[in-house]
Amino acid sequence: MKNFDRQYRLSAGQAGAAGFEIGGGSRPLHISFSVEKADTDSQNTAKVSIWNLSPQHLAELNKKDCVVSLRAGYGSTMPLIFAGVVTFARTRPDGSDVMTEVELVDNRVEVRDTYVSVSYDGSVNCKTLIQDTADQMGITASFSYNAEFKDIPNGYSYVGPARNVLTKACETSGLVWSINNGVLQIKKPEDTMSREVYELSAETGLIGIPERVQISDEADGCRYGWDVEYLMNAAINIDDYVYLNSKFVKGYLRVYSVTIEGDNMEGSWTCTARLLEVS
């Protein structure tokens, strides 16, 4: 992969409103960003700096519950990097330019705590329960290629936080759920959402030498893996499988966390991922 033709598209606005988009054209605005995603219950976060926004753009960012989505990559290939709500925005001089700093959080916590009401007589399939809950949450449900769903035989009624319904349906079927970039993902534990496996090698953008890591926690004990850096490929996401193909290590691993750093004018345009060995 060649590290040229850095491209991005950033759109911002309140839900359902027109908002604005920047990044296209022959002279896109200068942008830098840092995005952190992890396979944990905490919210994913992003920091974005943009130079020389118009007064209309600044006014949009300062509206309540402004939603920002960021795509980045090379040429016409720009996967979604982050979608979240503005929690902080500041504009200040930067030499002869004006820089706006924006902090974002995804809305997983708010969405999962949305109250829902479901009621079924007789047998109900867990997939139906999950889909109906997602519809009330106002998000898209995505099911992994090999997810299987059991029936709840004697009816089910519930009013309360959506997370409880999702946990009930997933535990009944031996599945787990998460929300990433506004999409509800349902899959088997330690599994991936798709069959696709990304190869990380020097030819596909791997930078430097993988570093061995060990993660210890009370729930899962010790887990082992590798920290790797590669040219920006935001298509590789949390829980995806990759084949690490380097001189020092070869094997299939699962993506545990990703940090994406980008600057369309200078500096980094890379991803740093922690890959865990697959048990």
Side-chain angles (χ1 to χ4, degrees), residues 234-257:
I236 300 177
N237 219 323
I238 302 300
D239 286 338
D240 282 343
Y241 284 143
V242 301
Y243 179 68
L244 183 56
N245 183 7
S246 75
K247 179 180 178 181
F248 301 94
V249 56
K250 299 179 187 293
Y252 293 93
L253 304 122
R254 182 176 65 87
V255 180
Y256 173 77
S257 64

mmCIF file with all atom_site columns, all heavy atoms in Angstrom, residues 234-257:
data_model
loop_
_atom_site.group_PDB
_atom_site.id
_atom_site.type_symbol
_atom_site.label_atom_id
_atom_site.label_alt_id
_atom_site.label_comp_id
_atom_site.label_asym_id
_atom_site.label_entity_id
_atom_site.label_seq_id
_atom_site.pdbx_PDB_ins_code
_atom_site.Cartn_x
_atom_site.Cartn_y
_atom_site.Cartn_z
_atom_site.occupancy
_atom_site.B_iso_or_equiv
_atom_site.pdbx_formal_charge
_atom_site.auth_seq_id
_atom_site.auth_comp_id
_atom_site.auth_asym_id
_atom_site.auth_atom_id
_atom_site.pdbx_PDB_model_num
ATOM 1   N N   . ALA A 1 234 ? -8.995  1.772   8.249  1.00 0.00 ? 234 ALA A N   1
ATOM 2   C CA  . ALA A 1 234 ? -10.070 1.816   9.239  1.00 0.00 ? 234 ALA A CA  1
ATOM 3   C C   . ALA A 1 234 ? -11.103 0.726   9.032  1.00 0.00 ? 234 ALA A C   1
ATOM 4   O O   . ALA A 1 234 ? -12.019 0.580   9.843  1.00 0.00 ? 234 ALA A O   1
ATOM 5   C CB  . ALA A 1 234 ? -10.751 3.182   9.210  1.00 0.00 ? 234 ALA A CB  1
ATOM 6   N N   . ALA A 1 235 ? -10.968 -0.053  7.963  1.00 0.00 ? 235 ALA A N   1
ATOM 7   C CA  . ALA A 1 235 ? -11.870 -1.194  7.774  1.00 0.00 ? 235 ALA A CA  1
ATOM 8   C C   . ALA A 1 235 ? -11.605 -2.279  8.815  1.00 0.00 ? 235 ALA A C   1
ATOM 9   O O   . ALA A 1 235 ? -12.477 -3.095  9.106  1.00 0.00 ? 235 ALA A O   1
ATOM 10  C CB  . ALA A 1 235 ? -11.712 -1.768  6.370  1.00 0.00 ? 235 ALA A CB  1
ATOM 11  N N   . ILE A 1 236 ? -10.402 -2.303  9.381  1.00 0.00 ? 236 ILE A N   1
ATOM 12  C CA  . ILE A 1 236 ? -10.080 -3.255  10.450 1.00 0.00 ? 236 ILE A CA  1
ATOM 13  C C   . ILE A 1 236 ? -10.620 -2.699  11.749 1.00 0.00 ? 236 ILE A C   1
ATOM 14  O O   . ILE A 1 236 ? -10.186 -1.643  12.212 1.00 0.00 ? 236 ILE A O   1
ATOM 15  C CB  . ILE A 1 236 ? -8.558  -3.480  10.539 1.00 0.00 ? 236 ILE A CB  1
ATOM 16  C CG1 . ILE A 1 236 ? -8.021  -4.034  9.218  1.00 0.00 ? 236 ILE A CG1 1
ATOM 17  C CG2 . ILE A 1 236 ? -8.227  -4.429  11.683 1.00 0.00 ? 236 ILE A CG2 1
ATOM 18  C CD1 . ILE A 1 236 ? -6.506  -4.206  9.197  1.00 0.00 ? 236 ILE A CD1 1
ATOM 19  N N   . ASN A 1 237 ? -11.576 -3.407  12.358 1.00 0.00 ? 237 ASN A N   1
ATOM 20  C CA  . ASN A 1 237 ? -12.279 -2.878  13.509 1.00 0.00 ? 237 ASN A CA  1
ATOM 21  C C   . ASN A 1 237 ? -12.186 -3.823  14.695 1.00 0.00 ? 237 ASN A C   1
ATOM 22  O O   . ASN A 1 237 ? -11.637 -4.923  14.593 1.00 0.00 ? 237 ASN A O   1
ATOM 23  C CB  . ASN A 1 237 ? -13.747 -2.625  13.154 1.00 0.00 ? 237 ASN A CB  1
ATOM 24  C CG  . ASN A 1 237 ? -14.273 -1.348  13.779 1.00 0.00 ? 237 ASN A CG  1
ATOM 25  O OD1 . ASN A 1 237 ? -13.932 -0.994  14.914 1.00 0.00 ? 237 ASN A OD1 1
ATOM 26  N ND2 . ASN A 1 237 ? -15.108 -0.633  13.029 1.00 0.00 ? 237 ASN A ND2 1
ATOM 27  N N   . ILE A 1 238 ? -12.748 -3.391  15.805 1.00 0.00 ? 238 ILE A N   1
ATOM 28  C CA  . ILE A 1 238 ? -12.757 -4.201  17.026 1.00 0.00 ? 238 ILE A CA  1
ATOM 29  C C   . ILE A 1 238 ? -13.388 -5.563  16.759 1.00 0.00 ? 238 ILE A C   1
ATOM 30  O O   . ILE A 1 238 ? -14.408 -5.666  16.085 1.00 0.00 ? 238 ILE A O   1
ATOM 31  C CB  . ILE A 1 238 ? -13.536 -3.469  18.141 1.00 0.00 ? 238 ILE A CB  1
ATOM 32  C CG1 . ILE A 1 238 ? -12.911 -2.108  18.422 1.00 0.00 ? 238 ILE A CG1 1
ATOM 33  C CG2 . ILE A 1 238 ? -13.567 -4.310  19.412 1.00 0.00 ? 238 ILE A CG2 1
ATOM 34  C CD1 . ILE A 1 238 ? -11.481 -2.164  18.860 1.00 0.00 ? 238 ILE A CD1 1
ATOM 35  N N   . ASP A 1 239 ? -12.766 -6.624  17.272 1.00 0.00 ? 239 ASP A N   1
ATOM 36  C CA  . ASP A 1 239 ? -13.227 -8.008  17.171 1.00 0.00 ? 239 ASP A CA  1
ATOM 37  C C   . ASP A 1 239 ? -13.045 -8.621  15.790 1.00 0.00 ? 239 ASP A C   1
ATOM 38  O O   . ASP A 1 239 ? -13.414 -9.776  15.579 1.00 0.00 ? 239 ASP A O   1
ATOM 39  C CB  . ASP A 1 239 ? -14.696 -8.155  17.603 1.00 0.00 ? 239 ASP A CB  1
ATOM 40  C CG  . ASP A 1 239 ? -14.859 -8.051  19.109 1.00 0.00 ? 239 ASP A CG  1
ATOM 41  O OD1 . ASP A 1 239 ? -13.871 -8.290  19.832 1.00 0.00 ? 239 ASP A OD1 1
ATOM 42  O OD2 . ASP A 1 239 ? -15.962 -7.733  19.576 1.00 0.00 ? 239 ASP A OD2 1
ATOM 43  N N   . ASP A 1 240 ? -12.486 -7.882  14.835 1.00 0.00 ? 240 ASP A N   1
ATOM 44  C CA  . ASP A 1 240 ? -12.155 -8.504  13.555 1.00 0.00 ? 240 ASP A CA  1
ATOM 45  C C   . ASP A 1 240 ? -10.971 -9.446  13.736 1.00 0.00 ? 240 ASP A C   1
ATOM 46  O O   . ASP A 1 240 ? -10.169 -9.297  14.665 1.00 0.00 ? 240 ASP A O   1
ATOM 47  C CB  . ASP A 1 240 ? -11.792 -7.433  12.512 1.00 0.00 ? 240 ASP A CB  1
ATOM 48  C CG  . ASP A 1 240 ? -13.012 -6.739  11.945 1.00 0.00 ? 240 ASP A CG  1
ATOM 49  O OD1 . ASP A 1 240 ? -14.122 -7.282  12.108 1.00 0.00 ? 240 ASP A OD1 1
ATOM 50  O OD2 . ASP A 1 240 ? -12.855 -5.664  11.344 1.00 0.00 ? 240 ASP A OD2 1
ATOM 51  N N   . TYR A 1 241 ? -10.856 -10.405 12.826 1.00 0.00 ? 241 TYR A N   1
ATOM 52  C CA  . TYR A 1 241 ? -9.704  -11.292 12.804 1.00 0.00 ? 241 TYR A CA  1
ATOM 53  C C   . TYR A 1 241 ? -8.693  -10.791 11.779 1.00 0.00 ? 241 TYR A C   1
ATOM 54  O O   . TYR A 1 241 ? -9.066  -10.303 10.706 1.00 0.00 ? 241 TYR A O   1
ATOM 55  C CB  . TYR A 1 241 ? -10.114 -12.718 12.439 1.00 0.00 ? 241 TYR A CB  1
ATOM 56  C CG  . TYR A 1 241 ? -10.796 -13.470 13.558 1.00 0.00 ? 241 TYR A CG  1
ATOM 57  C CD1 . TYR A 1 241 ? -11.849 -14.346 13.292 1.00 0.00 ? 241 TYR A CD1 1
ATOM 58  C CD2 . TYR A 1 241 ? -10.397 -13.318 14.876 1.00 0.00 ? 241 TYR A CD2 1
ATOM 59  C CE1 . TYR A 1 241 ? -12.475 -15.037 14.315 1.00 0.00 ? 241 TYR A CE1 1
ATOM 60  C CE2 . TYR A 1 241 ? -11.015 -14.005 15.900 1.00 0.00 ? 241 TYR A CE2 1
ATOM 61  C CZ  . TYR A 1 241 ? -12.057 -14.866 15.613 1.00 0.00 ? 241 TYR A CZ  1
ATOM 62  O OH  . TYR A 1 241 ? -12.680 -15.544 16.630 1.00 0.00 ? 241 TYR A OH  1
ATOM 63  N N   . VAL A 1 242 ? -7.440  -10.892 12.128 1.00 0.00 ? 242 VAL A N   1
ATOM 64  C CA  . VAL A 1 242 ? -6.375  -10.564 11.184 1.00 0.00 ? 242 VAL A CA  1
ATOM 65  C C   . VAL A 1 242 ? -5.361  -11.704 11.165 1.00 0.00 ? 242 VAL A C   1
ATOM 66  O O   . VAL A 1 242 ? -5.214  -12.447 12.143 1.00 0.00 ? 242 VAL A O   1
ATOM 67  C CB  . VAL A 1 242 ? -5.653  -9.245  11.562 1.00 0.00 ? 242 VAL A CB  1
ATOM 68  C CG1 . VAL A 1 242 ? -6.624  -8.081  11.594 1.00 0.00 ? 242 VAL A CG1 1
ATOM 69  C CG2 . VAL A 1 242 ? -4.950  -9.372  12.896 1.00 0.00 ? 242 VAL A CG2 1
ATOM 70  N N   . TYR A 1 243 ? -4.697  -11.842 10.026 1.00 0.00 ? 243 TYR A N   1
ATOM 71  C CA  . TYR A 1 243 ? -3.577  -12.769 9.924  1.00 0.00 ? 243 TYR A CA  1
ATOM 72  C C   . TYR A 1 243 ? -2.314  -11.932 9.943  1.00 0.00 ? 243 TYR A C   1
ATOM 73  O O   . TYR A 1 243 ? -2.042  -11.175 9.011  1.00 0.00 ? 243 TYR A O   1
ATOM 74  C CB  . TYR A 1 243 ? -3.650  -13.597 8.645  1.00 0.00 ? 243 TYR A CB  1
ATOM 75  C CG  . TYR A 1 243 ? -2.481  -14.542 8.506  1.00 0.00 ? 243 TYR A CG  1
ATOM 76  C CD1 . TYR A 1 243 ? -2.333  -15.632 9.366  1.00 0.00 ? 243 TYR A CD1 1
ATOM 77  C CD2 . TYR A 1 243 ? -1.500  -14.331 7.540  1.00 0.00 ? 243 TYR A CD2 1
ATOM 78  C CE1 . TYR A 1 243 ? -1.262  -16.492 9.254  1.00 0.00 ? 243 TYR A CE1 1
ATOM 79  C CE2 . TYR A 1 243 ? -0.421  -15.185 7.422  1.00 0.00 ? 243 TYR A CE2 1
ATOM 80  C CZ  . TYR A 1 243 ? -0.300  -16.267 8.285  1.00 0.00 ? 243 TYR A CZ  1
ATOM 81  O OH  . TYR A 1 243 ? 0.775   -17.120 8.175  1.00 0.00 ? 243 TYR A OH  1
ATOM 82  N N   . LEU A 1 244 ? -1.573  -12.033 11.031 1.00 0.00 ? 244 LEU A N   1
ATOM 83  C CA  . LEU A 1 244 ? -0.337  -11.280 11.173 1.00 0.00 ? 244 LEU A CA  1
ATOM 84  C C   . LEU A 1 244 ? 0.786   -12.058 10.494 1.00 0.00 ? 244 LEU A C   1
ATOM 85  O O   . LEU A 1 244 ? 1.108   -13.180 10.878 1.00 0.00 ? 244 LEU A O   1
ATOM 86  C CB  . LEU A 1 244 ? -0.022  -11.064 12.654 1.00 0.00 ? 244 LEU A CB  1
ATOM 87  C CG  . LEU A 1 244 ? 1.213   -10.213 12.980 1.00 0.00 ? 244 LEU A CG  1
ATOM 88  C CD1 . LEU A 1 244 ? 1.135   -8.843  12.319 1.00 0.00 ? 244 LEU A CD1 1
ATOM 89  C CD2 . LEU A 1 244 ? 1.363   -10.063 14.488 1.00 0.00 ? 244 LEU A CD2 1
ATOM 90  N N   . ASN A 1 245 ? 1.345   -11.455 9.479  1.00 0.00 ? 245 ASN A N   1
ATOM 91  C CA  . ASN A 1 245 ? 2.339   -12.132 8.652  1.00 0.00 ? 245 ASN A CA  1
ATOM 92  C C   . ASN A 1 245 ? 3.610   -11.283 8.623  1.00 0.00 ? 245 ASN A C   1
ATOM 93  O O   . ASN A 1 245 ? 3.808   -10.437 7.760  1.00 0.00 ? 245 ASN A O   1
ATOM 94  C CB  . ASN A 1 245 ? 1.791   -12.325 7.233  1.00 0.00 ? 245 ASN A CB  1
ATOM 95  C CG  . ASN A 1 245 ? 2.759   -13.093 6.339  1.00 0.00 ? 245 ASN A CG  1
ATOM 96  O OD1 . ASN A 1 245 ? 3.784   -13.591 6.798  1.00 0.00 ? 245 ASN A OD1 1
ATOM 97  N ND2 . ASN A 1 245 ? 2.430   -13.189 5.062  1.00 0.00 ? 245 ASN A ND2 1
ATOM 98  N N   . SER A 1 246 ? 4.447   -11.483 9.640  1.00 0.00 ? 246 SER A N   1
ATOM 99  C CA  . SER A 1 246 ? 5.706   -10.748 9.706  1.00 0.00 ? 246 SER A CA  1
ATOM 100 C C   . SER A 1 246 ? 6.857   -11.739 9.838  1.00 0.00 ? 246 SER A C   1
ATOM 101 O O   . SER A 1 246 ? 6.656   -12.935 10.024 1.00 0.00 ? 246 SER A O   1
ATOM 102 C CB  . SER A 1 246 ? 5.705   -9.786  10.903 1.00 0.00 ? 246 SER A CB  1
ATOM 103 O OG  . SER A 1 246 ? 5.893   -10.489 12.114 1.00 0.00 ? 246 SER A OG  1
ATOM 104 N N   . LYS A 1 247 ? 8.058   -11.196 9.775  1.00 0.00 ? 247 LYS A N   1
ATOM 105 C CA  . LYS A 1 247 ? 9.240   -12.044 9.895  1.00 0.00 ? 247 LYS A CA  1
ATOM 106 C C   . LYS A 1 247 ? 9.308   -12.709 11.262 1.00 0.00 ? 247 LYS A C   1
ATOM 107 O O   . LYS A 1 247 ? 9.814   -13.827 11.413 1.00 0.00 ? 247 LYS A O   1
ATOM 108 C CB  . LYS A 1 247 ? 10.488  -11.191 9.642  1.00 0.00 ? 247 LYS A CB  1
ATOM 109 C CG  . LYS A 1 247 ? 11.803  -11.946 9.768  1.00 0.00 ? 247 LYS A CG  1
ATOM 110 C CD  . LYS A 1 247 ? 12.979  -11.021 9.496  1.00 0.00 ? 247 LYS A CD  1
ATOM 111 C CE  . LYS A 1 247 ? 14.310  -11.752 9.659  1.00 0.00 ? 247 LYS A CE  1
ATOM 112 N NZ  . LYS A 1 247 ? 15.464  -10.847 9.421  1.00 0.00 ? 247 LYS A NZ  1
ATOM 113 N N   . PHE A 1 248 ? 8.736   -12.046 12.290 1.00 0.00 ? 248 PHE A N   1
ATOM 114 C CA  . PHE A 1 248 ? 8.912   -12.510 13.663 1.00 0.00 ? 248 PHE A CA  1
ATOM 115 C C   . PHE A 1 248 ? 7.712   -13.283 14.204 1.00 0.00 ? 248 PHE A C   1
ATOM 116 O O   . PHE A 1 248 ? 7.851   -14.042 15.161 1.00 0.00 ? 248 PHE A O   1
ATOM 117 C CB  . PHE A 1 248 ? 9.208   -11.313 14.572 1.00 0.00 ? 248 PHE A CB  1
ATOM 118 C CG  . PHE A 1 248 ? 10.439  -10.557 14.153 1.00 0.00 ? 248 PHE A CG  1
ATOM 119 C CD1 . PHE A 1 248 ? 10.344  -9.451  13.317 1.00 0.00 ? 248 PHE A CD1 1
ATOM 120 C CD2 . PHE A 1 248 ? 11.687  -10.956 14.593 1.00 0.00 ? 248 PHE A CD2 1
ATOM 121 C CE1 . PHE A 1 248 ? 11.478  -8.755  12.928 1.00 0.00 ? 248 PHE A CE1 1
ATOM 122 C CE2 . PHE A 1 248 ? 12.826  -10.266 14.214 1.00 0.00 ? 248 PHE A CE2 1
ATOM 123 C CZ  . PHE A 1 248 ? 12.723  -9.169  13.373 1.00 0.00 ? 248 PHE A CZ  1
ATOM 124 N N   . VAL A 1 249 ? 6.533   -13.075 13.623 1.00 0.00 ? 249 VAL A N   1
ATOM 125 C CA  . VAL A 1 249 ? 5.344   -13.785 14.116 1.00 0.00 ? 249 VAL A CA  1
ATOM 126 C C   . VAL A 1 249 ? 4.348   -13.948 12.986 1.00 0.00 ? 249 VAL A C   1
ATOM 127 O O   . VAL A 1 249 ? 4.156   -13.049 12.169 1.00 0.00 ? 249 VAL A O   1
ATOM 128 C CB  . VAL A 1 249 ? 4.700   -13.027 15.308 1.00 0.00 ? 249 VAL A CB  1
ATOM 129 C CG1 . VAL A 1 249 ? 4.363   -11.600 14.937 1.00 0.00 ? 249 VAL A CG1 1
ATOM 130 C CG2 . VAL A 1 249 ? 3.460   -13.734 15.796 1.00 0.00 ? 249 VAL A CG2 1
ATOM 131 N N   . LYS A 1 250 ? 3.741   -15.121 12.927 1.00 0.00 ? 250 LYS A N   1
ATOM 132 C CA  . LYS A 1 250 ? 2.698   -15.413 11.948 1.00 0.00 ? 250 LYS A CA  1
ATOM 133 C C   . LYS A 1 250 ? 1.551   -16.107 12.676 1.00 0.00 ? 250 LYS A C   1
ATOM 134 O O   . LYS A 1 250 ? 1.780   -16.990 13.500 1.00 0.00 ? 250 LYS A O   1
ATOM 135 C CB  . LYS A 1 250 ? 3.220   -16.312 10.824 1.00 0.00 ? 250 LYS A CB  1
ATOM 136 C CG  . LYS A 1 250 ? 4.370   -15.724 10.008 1.00 0.00 ? 250 LYS A CG  1
ATOM 137 C CD  . LYS A 1 250 ? 4.823   -16.708 8.940  1.00 0.00 ? 250 LYS A CD  1
ATOM 138 C CE  . LYS A 1 250 ? 6.073   -16.213 8.217  1.00 0.00 ? 250 LYS A CE  1
ATOM 139 N NZ  . LYS A 1 250 ? 5.788   -15.003 7.411  1.00 0.00 ? 250 LYS A NZ  1
ATOM 140 N N   . GLY A 1 251 ? 0.329   -15.703 12.392 1.00 0.00 ? 251 GLY A N   1
ATOM 141 C CA  . GLY A 1 251 ? -0.805  -16.374 13.005 1.00 0.00 ? 251 GLY A CA  1
ATOM 142 C C   . GLY A 1 251 ? -2.060  -15.525 12.974 1.00 0.00 ? 251 GLY A C   1
ATOM 143 O O   . GLY A 1 251 ? -2.031  -14.338 12.637 1.00 0.00 ? 251 GLY A O   1
ATOM 144 N N   . TYR A 1 252 ? -3.185  -16.163 13.326 1.00 0.00 ? 252 TYR A N   1
ATOM 145 C CA  . TYR A 1 252 ? -4.482  -15.495 13.360 1.00 0.00 ? 252 TYR A CA  1
ATOM 146 C C   . TYR A 1 252 ? -4.720  -14.902 14.746 1.00 0.00 ? 252 TYR A C   1
ATOM 147 O O   . TYR A 1 252 ? -4.531  -15.572 15.768 1.00 0.00 ? 252 TYR A O   1
ATOM 148 C CB  . TYR A 1 252 ? -5.587  -16.485 13.005 1.00 0.00 ? 252 TYR A CB  1
ATOM 149 C CG  . TYR A 1 252 ? -5.526  -16.956 11.576 1.00 0.00 ? 252 TYR A CG  1
ATOM 150 C CD1 . TYR A 1 252 ? -4.848  -18.128 11.231 1.00 0.00 ? 252 TYR A CD1 1
ATOM 151 C CD2 . TYR A 1 252 ? -6.130  -16.216 10.555 1.00 0.00 ? 252 TYR A CD2 1
ATOM 152 C CE1 . TYR A 1 252 ? -4.783  -18.551 9.915  1.00 0.00 ? 252 TYR A CE1 1
ATOM 153 C CE2 . TYR A 1 252 ? -6.067  -16.629 9.236  1.00 0.00 ? 252 TYR A CE2 1
ATOM 154 C CZ  . TYR A 1 252 ? -5.386  -17.803 8.921  1.00 0.00 ? 252 TYR A CZ  1
ATOM 155 O OH  . TYR A 1 252 ? -5.320  -18.218 7.617  1.00 0.00 ? 252 TYR A OH  1
ATOM 156 N N   . LEU A 1 253 ? -5.144  -13.645 14.778 1.00 0.00 ? 253 LEU A N   1
ATOM 157 C CA  . LEU A 1 253 ? -5.376  -12.940 16.030 1.00 0.00 ? 253 LEU A CA  1
ATOM 158 C C   . LEU A 1 253 ? -6.646  -12.108 15.933 1.00 0.00 ? 253 LEU A C   1
ATOM 159 O O   . LEU A 1 253 ? -7.127  -11.823 14.839 1.00 0.00 ? 253 LEU A O   1
ATOM 160 C CB  . LEU A 1 253 ? -4.184  -12.043 16.372 1.00 0.00 ? 253 LEU A CB  1
ATOM 161 C CG  . LEU A 1 253 ? -2.834  -12.759 16.455 1.00 0.00 ? 253 LEU A CG  1
ATOM 162 C CD1 . LEU A 1 253 ? -1.863  -12.129 15.471 1.00 0.00 ? 253 LEU A CD1 1
ATOM 163 C CD2 . LEU A 1 253 ? -2.269  -12.677 17.853 1.00 0.00 ? 253 LEU A CD2 1
ATOM 164 N N   . ARG A 1 254 ? -7.190  -11.724 17.098 1.00 0.00 ? 254 ARG A N   1
ATOM 165 C CA  . ARG A 1 254 ? -8.415  -10.920 17.153 1.00 0.00 ? 254 ARG A CA  1
ATOM 166 C C   . ARG A 1 254 ? -8.077  -9.504  17.610 1.00 0.00 ? 254 ARG A C   1
ATOM 167 O O   . ARG A 1 254 ? -7.269  -9.306  18.515 1.00 0.00 ? 254 ARG A O   1
ATOM 168 C CB  . ARG A 1 254 ? -9.414  -11.563 18.113 1.00 0.00 ? 254 ARG A CB  1
ATOM 169 C CG  . ARG A 1 254 ? -10.748 -10.830 18.215 1.00 0.00 ? 254 ARG A CG  1
ATOM 170 C CD  . ARG A 1 254 ? -11.715 -11.589 19.120 1.00 0.00 ? 254 ARG A CD  1
ATOM 171 N NE  . ARG A 1 254 ? -11.240 -11.645 20.489 1.00 0.00 ? 254 ARG A NE  1
ATOM 172 C CZ  . ARG A 1 254 ? -11.481 -10.707 21.407 1.00 0.00 ? 254 ARG A CZ  1
ATOM 173 N NH1 . ARG A 1 254 ? -12.180 -9.626  21.079 1.00 0.00 ? 254 ARG A NH1 1
ATOM 174 N NH2 . ARG A 1 254 ? -11.024 -10.833 22.643 1.00 0.00 ? 254 ARG A NH2 1
ATOM 175 N N   . VAL A 1 255 ? -8.695  -8.521  16.993 1.00 0.00 ? 255 VAL A N   1
ATOM 176 C CA  . VAL A 1 255 ? -8.440  -7.122  17.318 1.00 0.00 ? 255 VAL A CA  1
ATOM 177 C C   . VAL A 1 255 ? -9.118  -6.779  18.641 1.00 0.00 ? 255 VAL A C   1
ATOM 178 O O   . VAL A 1 255 ? -10.341 -6.870  18.772 1.00 0.00 ? 255 VAL A O   1
ATOM 179 C CB  . VAL A 1 255 ? -8.950  -6.188  16.214 1.00 0.00 ? 255 VAL A CB  1
ATOM 180 C CG1 . VAL A 1 255 ? -8.674  -4.730  16.587 1.00 0.00 ? 255 VAL A CG1 1
ATOM 181 C CG2 . VAL A 1 255 ? -8.296  -6.524  14.881 1.00 0.00 ? 255 VAL A CG2 1
ATOM 182 N N   . TYR A 1 256 ? -8.325  -6.385  19.622 1.00 0.00 ? 256 TYR A N   1
ATOM 183 C CA  . TYR A 1 256 ? -8.830  -6.016  20.946 1.00 0.00 ? 256 TYR A CA  1
ATOM 184 C C   . TYR A 1 256 ? -9.032  -4.506  21.072 1.00 0.00 ? 256 TYR A C   1
ATOM 185 O O   . TYR A 1 256 ? -10.004 -4.042  21.660 1.00 0.00 ? 256 TYR A O   1
ATOM 186 C CB  . TYR A 1 256 ? -7.869  -6.516  22.023 1.00 0.00 ? 256 TYR A CB  1
ATOM 187 C CG  . TYR A 1 256 ? -8.203  -6.046  23.419 1.00 0.00 ? 256 TYR A CG  1
ATOM 188 C CD1 . TYR A 1 256 ? -9.233  -6.636  24.143 1.00 0.00 ? 256 TYR A CD1 1
ATOM 189 C CD2 . TYR A 1 256 ? -7.486  -5.009  24.017 1.00 0.00 ? 256 TYR A CD2 1
ATOM 190 C CE1 . TYR A 1 256 ? -9.552  -6.201  25.425 1.00 0.00 ? 256 TYR A CE1 1
ATOM 191 C CE2 . TYR A 1 256 ? -7.788  -4.573  25.292 1.00 0.00 ? 256 TYR A CE2 1
ATOM 192 C CZ  . TYR A 1 256 ? -8.817  -5.176  25.999 1.00 0.00 ? 256 TYR A CZ  1
ATOM 193 O OH  . TYR A 1 256 ? -9.135  -4.743  27.256 1.00 0.00 ? 256 TYR A OH  1
ATOM 194 N N   . SER A 1 257 ? -8.118  -3.726  20.546 1.00 0.00 ? 257 SER A N   1
ATOM 195 C CA  . SER A 1 257 ? -8.239  -2.268  20.600 1.00 0.00 ? 257 SER A CA  1
ATOM 196 C C   . SER A 1 257 ? -7.540  -1.658  19.398 1.00 0.00 ? 257 SER A C   1
ATOM 197 O O   . SER A 1 257 ? -6.622  -2.261  18.817 1.00 0.00 ? 257 SER A O   1
ATOM 198 C CB  . SER A 1 257 ? -7.652  -1.706  21.894 1.00 0.00 ? 257 SER A CB  1
ATOM 199 O OG  . SER A 1 257 ? -6.256  -1.950  21.968 1.00 0.00 ? 257 SER A OG  1
#
